[in-house]
Short mmCIF file of all heavy atoms in Angstrom, two decimals:
data_model
loop_
_atom_site.label_atom_id
_atom_site.label_comp_id
_atom_site.label_asym_id
_atom_site.label_seq_id
_atom_site.Cartn_x
_atom_site.Cartn_y
_atom_site.Cartn_z
N MET M 5 -2.32 -5.46 23.16
CA MET M 5 -1.99 -4.47 24.05
C MET M 5 -2.51 -3.14 23.71
O MET M 5 -3.23 -2.41 24.46
CB MET M 5 -0.46 -4.32 24.25
CG MET M 5 -0.09 -3.34 25.47
SD MET M 5 1.69 -3.46 25.70
CE MET M 5 1.98 -1.98 26.65
N CYS M 6 -2.51 -2.75 22.51
CA CYS M 6 -3.18 -1.51 21.93
C CYS M 6 -4.66 -1.79 21.98
O CYS M 6 -5.31 -0.78 22.45
CB CYS M 6 -2.72 -1.24 20.57
SG CYS M 6 -0.93 -0.72 20.39
N ARG M 7 -5.14 -2.84 21.60
CA ARG M 7 -6.58 -3.10 21.65
C ARG M 7 -7.20 -3.07 23.06
O ARG M 7 -8.22 -2.41 23.31
CB ARG M 7 -6.87 -4.44 21.00
CG ARG M 7 -8.27 -4.80 20.91
CD ARG M 7 -8.50 -6.05 20.30
NE ARG M 7 -9.93 -6.33 20.15
CZ ARG M 7 -10.53 -7.41 19.60
NH1 ARG M 7 -9.75 -8.26 18.94
NH2 ARG M 7 -11.76 -7.67 19.64
N ALA M 8 -6.45 -3.60 23.98
CA ALA M 8 -6.87 -3.54 25.33
C ALA M 8 -6.85 -2.23 25.91
O ALA M 8 -7.93 -1.79 26.61
CB ALA M 8 -6.00 -4.43 26.35
N SER M 9 -5.93 -1.50 25.55
CA SER M 9 -5.84 -0.04 26.00
C SER M 9 -7.02 0.90 25.35
O SER M 9 -7.61 1.63 26.08
CB SER M 9 -4.56 0.55 25.55
OG SER M 9 -4.41 1.98 25.86
N LEU M 10 -7.31 0.67 24.24
CA LEU M 10 -8.27 1.34 23.58
C LEU M 10 -9.72 0.91 24.06
O LEU M 10 -10.53 1.79 24.15
CB LEU M 10 -8.35 1.24 22.03
CG LEU M 10 -7.16 1.94 21.36
CD1 LEU M 10 -7.04 1.51 19.87
CD2 LEU M 10 -7.24 3.39 21.40
N GLU M 11 -9.87 -0.31 24.19
CA GLU M 11 -11.19 -0.81 24.81
C GLU M 11 -11.49 -0.40 26.12
O GLU M 11 -12.56 -0.08 26.58
CB GLU M 11 -11.34 -2.32 24.60
CG GLU M 11 -11.44 -2.75 23.27
CD GLU M 11 -11.43 -4.29 23.28
OE1 GLU M 11 -11.23 -4.96 24.24
OE2 GLU M 11 -11.80 -4.84 22.15
N SER M 12 -10.39 -0.25 27.04
CA SER M 12 -10.65 0.16 28.34
C SER M 12 -10.87 1.60 28.51
O SER M 12 -11.56 2.10 29.48
CB SER M 12 -9.44 -0.29 29.27
OG SER M 12 -8.23 0.43 28.77
N SER M 13 -10.31 2.38 27.66
CA SER M 13 -10.49 3.87 27.75
C SER M 13 -11.94 4.38 27.28
O SER M 13 -12.32 5.45 27.73
CB SER M 13 -9.36 4.57 26.90
OG SER M 13 -9.54 4.43 25.61
N GLY M 14 -12.49 3.61 26.40
CA GLY M 14 -13.86 4.00 26.00
C GLY M 14 -13.90 5.26 25.04
O GLY M 14 -14.83 5.78 24.71
N ASN M 15 -12.68 5.65 24.59
CA ASN M 15 -12.61 6.73 23.55
C ASN M 15 -12.75 6.32 22.19
O ASN M 15 -11.85 5.64 21.66
CB ASN M 15 -11.31 7.48 23.86
CG ASN M 15 -11.11 8.80 23.10
OD1 ASN M 15 -12.06 9.12 22.28
ND2 ASN M 15 -10.20 9.50 23.46
N VAL M 16 -13.90 6.52 21.57
CA VAL M 16 -14.24 5.98 20.30
C VAL M 16 -13.37 6.66 19.23
O VAL M 16 -12.90 6.06 18.31
CB VAL M 16 -15.61 6.05 19.99
CG1 VAL M 16 -15.99 5.73 18.61
CG2 VAL M 16 -16.50 5.29 20.94
N VAL M 17 -13.15 7.95 19.42
CA VAL M 17 -12.37 8.80 18.43
C VAL M 17 -11.00 8.18 18.38
O VAL M 17 -10.41 8.17 17.29
CB VAL M 17 -12.41 10.24 18.83
CG1 VAL M 17 -11.50 10.99 17.85
CG2 VAL M 17 -13.76 10.74 18.77
N LYS M 18 -10.35 7.84 19.49
CA LYS M 18 -8.94 7.38 19.60
C LYS M 18 -8.90 6.11 18.92
O LYS M 18 -8.05 5.70 18.12
CB LYS M 18 -8.42 7.36 21.04
CG LYS M 18 -7.05 7.03 21.08
CD LYS M 18 -6.57 6.73 22.49
CE LYS M 18 -6.26 8.12 23.15
NZ LYS M 18 -5.75 7.89 24.50
N ALA M 19 -9.86 5.22 19.03
CA ALA M 19 -9.98 3.95 18.44
C ALA M 19 -10.06 3.98 16.89
O ALA M 19 -9.41 3.28 16.26
CB ALA M 19 -11.04 2.99 19.02
N GLU M 20 -10.88 4.87 16.56
CA GLU M 20 -11.02 5.10 15.09
C GLU M 20 -9.73 5.71 14.39
O GLU M 20 -9.35 5.29 13.28
CB GLU M 20 -12.19 5.97 14.69
CG GLU M 20 -13.61 5.39 15.08
CD GLU M 20 -14.68 6.39 14.82
OE1 GLU M 20 -14.44 7.64 14.46
OE2 GLU M 20 -15.85 5.96 14.81
N ALA M 21 -8.95 6.50 15.19
CA ALA M 21 -7.78 7.04 14.72
C ALA M 21 -6.81 6.02 14.58
O ALA M 21 -5.87 5.94 13.61
CB ALA M 21 -7.29 8.24 15.68
N VAL M 22 -6.68 5.05 15.52
CA VAL M 22 -5.79 3.98 15.40
C VAL M 22 -6.09 3.13 14.27
O VAL M 22 -5.13 2.68 13.50
CB VAL M 22 -5.70 3.30 16.75
CG1 VAL M 22 -4.87 1.92 16.59
CG2 VAL M 22 -5.15 4.06 17.90
N ASN M 23 -7.33 2.79 14.09
CA ASN M 23 -7.72 1.95 12.85
C ASN M 23 -7.35 2.59 11.59
O ASN M 23 -6.94 1.95 10.57
CB ASN M 23 -9.17 1.73 13.00
CG ASN M 23 -9.49 0.57 14.01
OD1 ASN M 23 -8.75 -0.14 14.41
ND2 ASN M 23 -10.77 0.66 14.46
N ASP M 24 -7.63 3.95 11.52
CA ASP M 24 -7.24 4.75 10.30
C ASP M 24 -5.79 4.67 10.00
O ASP M 24 -5.32 4.50 8.84
CB ASP M 24 -7.80 6.07 10.39
CG ASP M 24 -9.32 6.14 10.34
OD1 ASP M 24 -9.96 5.21 9.80
OD2 ASP M 24 -9.83 7.26 10.66
N GLY M 25 -5.07 4.75 11.10
CA GLY M 25 -3.52 4.76 10.94
C GLY M 25 -3.09 3.28 10.52
O GLY M 25 -2.17 3.30 9.65
N ILE M 26 -3.68 2.27 10.96
CA ILE M 26 -3.26 0.99 10.49
C ILE M 26 -3.64 0.82 8.94
O ILE M 26 -2.80 0.25 8.30
CB ILE M 26 -4.05 -0.08 11.39
CG1 ILE M 26 -3.53 -0.05 12.66
CG2 ILE M 26 -3.90 -1.46 10.73
CD1 ILE M 26 -4.30 -0.97 13.80
N VAL M 27 -4.80 1.27 8.52
CA VAL M 27 -5.13 1.11 7.17
C VAL M 27 -4.16 2.06 6.34
O VAL M 27 -3.64 1.54 5.26
CB VAL M 27 -6.50 1.61 6.87
CG1 VAL M 27 -6.83 1.77 5.51
CG2 VAL M 27 -7.52 0.63 7.55
N TYR M 28 -3.76 3.18 6.82
CA TYR M 28 -2.89 4.07 6.12
C TYR M 28 -1.62 3.37 5.93
O TYR M 28 -0.91 3.43 4.79
CB TYR M 28 -2.79 5.33 6.99
CG TYR M 28 -1.97 6.40 6.35
CD1 TYR M 28 -2.26 7.10 5.23
CD2 TYR M 28 -0.59 6.66 6.93
CE1 TYR M 28 -1.35 8.17 4.72
CE2 TYR M 28 0.24 7.61 6.43
CZ TYR M 28 -0.16 8.30 5.41
OH TYR M 28 0.61 9.26 4.85
N LEU M 29 -1.11 2.74 6.99
CA LEU M 29 0.16 2.06 6.88
C LEU M 29 0.21 0.87 6.00
O LEU M 29 1.12 0.43 5.37
CB LEU M 29 0.61 1.71 8.26
CG LEU M 29 1.08 2.82 9.16
CD1 LEU M 29 1.43 2.22 10.61
CD2 LEU M 29 2.31 3.52 8.67
N MET M 30 -0.85 0.25 5.86
CA MET M 30 -1.14 -1.10 5.07
C MET M 30 -1.21 -0.69 3.44
O MET M 30 -0.84 -1.40 2.80
CB MET M 30 -2.39 -1.78 5.39
CG MET M 30 -2.28 -2.60 6.65
SD MET M 30 -3.84 -3.54 7.05
CE MET M 30 -4.80 -3.61 5.59
N VAL M 31 -1.70 0.53 3.23
CA VAL M 31 -1.85 0.86 1.83
C VAL M 31 -0.47 1.05 1.16
O VAL M 31 -0.35 0.68 -0.04
CB VAL M 31 -2.74 2.13 1.74
CG1 VAL M 31 -2.77 2.69 0.38
CG2 VAL M 31 -4.18 1.89 2.17
N PHE M 32 0.54 1.52 1.72
CA PHE M 32 1.80 1.99 1.12
C PHE M 32 2.53 0.74 0.52
O PHE M 32 3.03 0.78 -0.56
CB PHE M 32 2.70 2.76 2.12
CG PHE M 32 2.30 4.24 2.14
CD1 PHE M 32 1.73 4.68 3.23
CD2 PHE M 32 2.45 5.09 0.98
CE1 PHE M 32 1.42 6.02 3.41
CE2 PHE M 32 2.13 6.42 1.10
CZ PHE M 32 1.50 6.88 2.28
N PRO M 33 2.52 -0.42 1.17
CA PRO M 33 3.29 -1.56 0.56
C PRO M 33 2.60 -1.93 -0.80
O PRO M 33 3.26 -2.15 -1.78
CB PRO M 33 3.20 -2.57 1.58
CG PRO M 33 3.07 -1.86 2.85
CD PRO M 33 2.25 -0.55 2.63
N TYR M 34 1.22 -1.86 -0.81
CA TYR M 34 0.55 -2.35 -2.10
C TYR M 34 0.69 -1.30 -3.16
O TYR M 34 0.87 -1.62 -4.24
CB TYR M 34 -0.99 -2.37 -1.69
CG TYR M 34 -1.29 -3.55 -0.84
CD1 TYR M 34 -1.71 -3.52 0.48
CD2 TYR M 34 -1.28 -4.86 -1.37
CE1 TYR M 34 -2.02 -4.52 1.33
CE2 TYR M 34 -1.52 -6.00 -0.60
CZ TYR M 34 -1.87 -5.80 0.76
OH TYR M 34 -2.17 -6.96 1.50
N ILE M 35 0.85 0.01 -2.83
CA ILE M 35 1.17 1.04 -3.81
C ILE M 35 2.48 0.83 -4.44
O ILE M 35 2.70 0.98 -5.56
CB ILE M 35 0.90 2.50 -3.14
CG1 ILE M 35 -0.53 2.69 -2.88
CG2 ILE M 35 1.41 3.60 -4.12
CD1 ILE M 35 -0.85 3.93 -2.22
N LEU M 36 3.49 0.62 -3.55
CA LEU M 36 4.85 0.42 -3.93
C LEU M 36 5.08 -0.81 -4.70
O LEU M 36 5.64 -0.82 -5.87
CB LEU M 36 5.73 0.25 -2.62
CG LEU M 36 6.05 1.52 -1.88
CD1 LEU M 36 6.82 1.25 -0.70
CD2 LEU M 36 6.83 2.56 -2.92
N VAL M 37 4.32 -1.86 -4.51
CA VAL M 37 4.38 -3.20 -5.39
C VAL M 37 3.75 -2.73 -6.66
O VAL M 37 4.27 -3.33 -7.69
CB VAL M 37 3.73 -4.27 -4.60
CG1 VAL M 37 3.44 -5.42 -5.52
CG2 VAL M 37 4.50 -4.69 -3.45
N ALA M 38 2.68 -2.07 -6.69
CA ALA M 38 2.03 -1.82 -7.95
C ALA M 38 2.78 -0.84 -8.88
O ALA M 38 2.96 -1.08 -9.97
CB ALA M 38 0.65 -1.07 -7.75
N VAL M 39 3.49 0.00 -8.22
CA VAL M 39 4.35 1.03 -8.92
C VAL M 39 5.67 0.21 -9.56
O VAL M 39 5.99 0.27 -10.76
CB VAL M 39 4.91 2.19 -8.20
CG1 VAL M 39 6.09 2.82 -8.83
CG2 VAL M 39 3.63 3.08 -7.79
N VAL M 40 6.20 -0.59 -8.72
CA VAL M 40 7.32 -1.35 -9.14
C VAL M 40 6.79 -2.44 -10.26
O VAL M 40 7.62 -2.63 -11.30
CB VAL M 40 8.01 -2.19 -8.00
CG1 VAL M 40 8.96 -3.29 -8.51
CG2 VAL M 40 8.63 -1.19 -7.11
N GLY M 41 5.63 -2.99 -10.10
CA GLY M 41 5.23 -3.89 -11.18
C GLY M 41 5.05 -3.23 -12.43
O GLY M 41 5.26 -3.72 -13.55
N TYR M 42 4.41 -1.95 -12.39
CA TYR M 42 4.15 -1.21 -13.66
C TYR M 42 5.44 -0.86 -14.28
O TYR M 42 5.55 -0.94 -15.57
CB TYR M 42 3.33 0.04 -13.26
CG TYR M 42 3.00 0.92 -14.54
CD1 TYR M 42 2.25 0.49 -15.39
CD2 TYR M 42 3.72 2.06 -14.61
CE1 TYR M 42 1.92 1.26 -16.58
CE2 TYR M 42 3.60 2.84 -15.78
CZ TYR M 42 2.60 2.43 -16.67
OH TYR M 42 2.46 3.21 -17.87
N VAL M 43 6.36 -0.49 -13.51
CA VAL M 43 7.71 -0.02 -14.10
C VAL M 43 8.31 -1.22 -14.80
O VAL M 43 8.88 -1.19 -15.91
CB VAL M 43 8.72 0.51 -13.02
CG1 VAL M 43 10.11 0.77 -13.55
CG2 VAL M 43 8.04 1.86 -12.47
N VAL M 44 8.34 -2.32 -14.12
CA VAL M 44 8.91 -3.59 -14.81
C VAL M 44 8.22 -3.96 -16.00
O VAL M 44 8.80 -4.31 -16.99
CB VAL M 44 8.96 -4.71 -13.73
CG1 VAL M 44 9.30 -6.07 -14.44
CG2 VAL M 44 9.88 -4.47 -12.65
N TYR M 45 6.88 -3.93 -15.94
CA TYR M 45 6.02 -4.29 -17.08
C TYR M 45 6.39 -3.27 -18.32
O TYR M 45 6.41 -3.68 -19.32
CB TYR M 45 4.50 -4.20 -16.74
CG TYR M 45 3.65 -4.30 -17.90
CD1 TYR M 45 3.38 -5.54 -18.50
CD2 TYR M 45 2.97 -3.12 -18.42
CE1 TYR M 45 2.51 -5.62 -19.60
CE2 TYR M 45 2.12 -3.26 -19.42
CZ TYR M 45 1.95 -4.55 -20.10
OH TYR M 45 1.16 -4.54 -21.17
N SER M 46 6.43 -2.01 -18.02
CA SER M 46 6.68 -1.03 -19.08
C SER M 46 8.03 -1.23 -19.67
O SER M 46 8.16 -1.00 -20.93
CB SER M 46 6.45 0.38 -18.54
OG SER M 46 7.38 0.70 -17.62
N MET M 47 8.99 -1.52 -18.77
CA MET M 47 10.32 -1.72 -19.34
C MET M 47 10.42 -3.03 -20.10
O MET M 47 11.02 -3.01 -21.17
CB MET M 47 11.36 -1.92 -18.10
CG MET M 47 11.66 -0.64 -17.34
SD MET M 47 12.64 -0.72 -16.04
CE MET M 47 14.12 -1.49 -16.64
N PHE M 48 9.69 -4.01 -19.71
CA PHE M 48 9.71 -5.33 -20.52
C PHE M 48 8.92 -5.10 -21.75
O PHE M 48 9.37 -5.52 -22.94
CB PHE M 48 8.97 -6.34 -19.80
CG PHE M 48 8.71 -7.55 -20.41
CD1 PHE M 48 9.85 -8.46 -20.80
CD2 PHE M 48 7.61 -8.08 -20.99
CE1 PHE M 48 9.66 -9.64 -21.46
CE2 PHE M 48 7.39 -9.15 -21.71
CZ PHE M 48 8.38 -9.99 -21.95
N ARG M 49 7.90 -4.34 -21.86
CA ARG M 49 7.11 -4.03 -23.01
C ARG M 49 7.96 -3.00 -24.03
O ARG M 49 7.95 -3.38 -25.29
CB ARG M 49 5.78 -3.29 -22.67
CG ARG M 49 4.99 -3.18 -23.81
CD ARG M 49 3.57 -2.66 -23.30
NE ARG M 49 2.76 -2.37 -24.46
CZ ARG M 49 1.62 -1.74 -24.53
NH1 ARG M 49 1.24 -1.18 -23.37
NH2 ARG M 49 0.98 -1.58 -25.62
N ARG M 50 8.67 -2.12 -23.45
CA ARG M 50 9.40 -1.30 -24.28
C ARG M 50 10.50 -1.98 -24.96
O ARG M 50 10.88 -1.86 -26.14
CB ARG M 50 9.90 -0.17 -23.44
CG ARG M 50 10.53 1.00 -24.27
CD ARG M 50 10.99 2.12 -23.44
NE ARG M 50 10.05 2.38 -22.37
CZ ARG M 50 10.47 3.01 -21.19
NH1 ARG M 50 11.74 3.27 -20.90
NH2 ARG M 50 9.48 3.23 -20.23
N LYS M 51 11.12 -2.94 -24.22
CA LYS M 51 12.23 -3.68 -24.72
C LYS M 51 11.80 -4.64 -25.95
O LYS M 51 12.36 -4.74 -26.83
CB LYS M 51 12.89 -4.52 -23.53
CG LYS M 51 14.13 -5.26 -23.95
CD LYS M 51 14.69 -5.89 -22.65
CE LYS M 51 15.98 -6.47 -23.02
NZ LYS M 51 16.52 -7.17 -21.81
N LYS M 52 10.54 -5.13 -25.63
CA LYS M 52 10.02 -6.10 -26.62
C LYS M 52 9.67 -5.43 -27.93
O LYS M 52 9.87 -5.80 -29.01
CB LYS M 52 8.73 -6.74 -26.06
CG LYS M 52 8.31 -7.98 -26.84
CD LYS M 52 7.25 -8.63 -26.10
CE LYS M 52 6.73 -10.01 -26.73
NZ LYS M 52 5.78 -10.59 -26.05
N VAL M 53 9.07 -4.16 -27.80
CA VAL M 53 8.71 -3.33 -28.94
C VAL M 53 10.00 -3.01 -29.82
O VAL M 53 9.96 -2.94 -30.99
CB VAL M 53 7.89 -2.04 -28.57
CG1 VAL M 53 7.73 -1.14 -29.73
CG2 VAL M 53 6.54 -2.49 -28.04
N LYS M 54 11.08 -2.69 -29.21
CA LYS M 54 12.29 -2.20 -29.83
C LYS M 54 12.96 -3.20 -30.58
O LYS M 54 13.56 -3.03 -31.57
CB LYS M 54 13.38 -1.58 -28.90
CG LYS M 54 12.87 -0.22 -28.39
CD LYS M 54 14.05 0.28 -27.46
CE LYS M 54 13.61 1.66 -26.90
NZ LYS M 54 14.76 2.28 -26.07
N THR M 55 12.81 -4.55 -30.13
CA THR M 55 13.47 -5.64 -30.78
C THR M 55 12.64 -6.22 -32.04
O THR M 55 13.30 -6.75 -32.86
CB THR M 55 13.67 -6.79 -29.84
OG1 THR M 55 12.26 -7.24 -29.32
CG2 THR M 55 14.59 -6.50 -28.73
N THR M 56 11.45 -5.91 -32.14
CA THR M 56 10.63 -6.31 -33.28
C THR M 56 10.49 -5.37 -34.27
O THR M 56 10.70 -4.30 -34.25
CB THR M 56 9.27 -6.76 -32.71
OG1 THR M 56 8.67 -5.71 -32.17
CG2 THR M 56 9.29 -7.99 -31.95
#
């Protein structure tokens, strides 16, 4: 529906803005997963260093 609306209007700036918004929304889950993964890794590593 969004694609049809953007194609019919012929407004290139609006289409680029929608694409940028989609990319912007897609980046956050990857950043969150990376941060959580790093925190878990650092906690595991810290725990392993203390025990040896």
Side-chain angles (χ1 to χ4, degrees):
M5 187 171 166
C6 293
R7 182 176 177 175
S9 173
L10 290 172
E11 287 177 351
S12 67
S13 68
N15 190 351
V16 177
V17 176
K18 189 185 278 188
E20 289 176 357
V22 169
N23 286 337
D24 291 342
I26 291 169
V27 171
Y28 181 74
L29 290 173
M30 279 179 25
V31 168
F32 282 110
Y34 290 106
I35 291 172
L36 288 173
V37 167
V39 168
V40 169
Y42 177 74
V43 168
V44 169
Y45 171 76
S46 65
M47 288 173 61
F48 176 73
R49 187 173 177 195
R50 192 177 320 151
K51 189 176 187 181
K52 193 174 188 179
V53 169
K54 285 183 179 181
T55 58
T56 56

